[in-house]
Amino acid sequence: PPRPATELDLLAADASAASALLSRAVHRVLSEVPRPFVARGGARGSPALARWGSLEYLREVAGDSTPCEVELGSYDSGGERPTIAFGHYAEYLRLCAEEGGGGDQPAYLAQNPLFPGLAGDVEVPAVCRTGGRDVYQTMIWLGPADTASPLHFDPLDNVFLQFAGEKVVTLFPPSVKKDGDPYYAGGGASGQANTSPVDVEDPNYARHPRFLRAPPAVQVTVRPGDALLIPARWWHHVRATKGDFVLSVNVWFK
């Protein structure tokens, strides 16, 4: 069974102190042996936490006519990514909330650049811009409950900030190919070298027997106000589990 992620409880600290403690902890972990950890309350310094629970606010500030890409079907099955107006997607989310979810093939506003109108609501942790580091990209992830990102890794360190709803993140250490890659990197329909065809929620060991040798997973539920460090090259699968809609931001830095 997965092991729980290391937790840093910042809920008792005020928002500014929580932000400073989060950055200090990220710096320390990345300077030693990089490993994921969740900072409970680490994202409370962002105005997004109080504002982004409202679709009306998101529509007003992001702009109904703003174009966005939405993912239809599974990313690793080569699903389409049409461009639509953000107002139309927000209306889709409202209907999903009324009907209890997005069905078997929910539309996911996945890995879009953070809309300029919303950027001021996110406090990027100072560690992402100090000590010779700088922000590479800041992305928004928005969808109904039950959307998912397949098992994959990113080449850069990532601070993942949760602002609405809940997600379960399952993480595995970077590949060690001495005995063959247990994650079958690049073996999915997308052909992306950083993506795995293994379904971590229901592994097919007949098809992917090396996954039996994968190191134990680390698993964490992120809730509004939490910040999760995902170090570079750590594999992770993300499932939205709870909320009328589920909204996160990730900050890649190097």
Side-chain angles (χ1 to χ4, degrees):
R3 297 177 288 115
T6 300
E7 293 197 10
L8 175 64
D9 188 349
L10 301 178
L11 293 171
D14 63 50
S16 60
S19 298
L21 290 168
L22 168 65
S23 283
R24 189 180 306 168
V26 169
H27 175 76
R28 184 180 68 251
V29 168
L30 293 180
S31 299
E32 298 171 354
V33 179
R35 64 191 185 281
F37 76 89
V38 61
R40 300 295 184 193
R44 286 187 298 121
S46 289
L49 184 59
R51 298 172 179 171
W52 287 11
S54 164
L55 280 177
E56 290 74 20
Y57 175 84
L58 295 174
R59 293 180 70 163
E60 178 182 350
V61 178
D64 270 358
S65 62
T66 298
C68 60
E69 288 188 1
V70 296
E71 188 175 288
L72 303 177
S74 168
Y75 168 83
D76 199 43
S77 65
E80 299 179 38
R81 284 182 64 94
T83 298
I84 64 172
F86 181 72
H88 293 161
Y89 186 70
E91 183 62 16
Y92 161 78
L93 291 178
R94 185 186 66 78
L95 294 172
C96 287
E98 290 180 357
E99 297 172 8
D104 293 336
Q105 294 289 333
Y108 190 16
L109 196 158
Q111 196 170 321
N112 276 234
L114 182 60
F115 303 130
L118 296 175
D121 288 346
V122 177
E123 181 182 57
V124 173
V127 70
C128 302
R129 291 194 169 112
T130 56
R133 301 183 180 97
D134 202 359
V135 172
Y136 176 71
Q137 278 183 319
T138 304
M139 313 297 280
I140 188 170
W141 306 74
L142 172 63
D146 212 34
T147 50
S149 296
L151 185 63
H152 68 286
F153 73 83
D154 300 308
L156 303 176
D157 296 315
N158 175 9
V159 175
F160 185 93
L161 308 171
Q162 188 66 19
F163 293 120
E166 297 184 3
K167 290 183 174 179
V168 173
V169 185
T170 305
L171 305 107
F172 295 86
S175 301
V176 177
K177 298 187 178 181
K178 177 181 178 182
D179 298 314
D181 173 25
Y183 309 116
Y184 295 83
S190 72
Q192 295 288 326
N194 70 328
T195 302
S196 169
V198 176
D199 180 353
V200 301
E201 296 171 312
D202 186 21
N204 184 332
Y205 293 114
R207 182 177 299 170
H208 304 122
R210 293 197 304 273
F211 191 61
L212 284 165
R213 302 200 300 269
V218 173
Q219 194 170 76
V220 60
T221 298
V222 288
R223 303 180 181 92
D226 289 345
L228 172 66
L229 173 66
I230 305 176
R233 307 194 73 83
W234 270 73
W235 290 84
H236 49 287
H237 173 277
V238 185
R239 169 73 68 181
T241 56
K242 185 176 180 180
D244 288 343
F245 59 90
V246 186
L247 176 52
S248 317
V249 164
N250 82 278
V251 183
W252 282 310
F253 62 103
K254 58 181 180 178

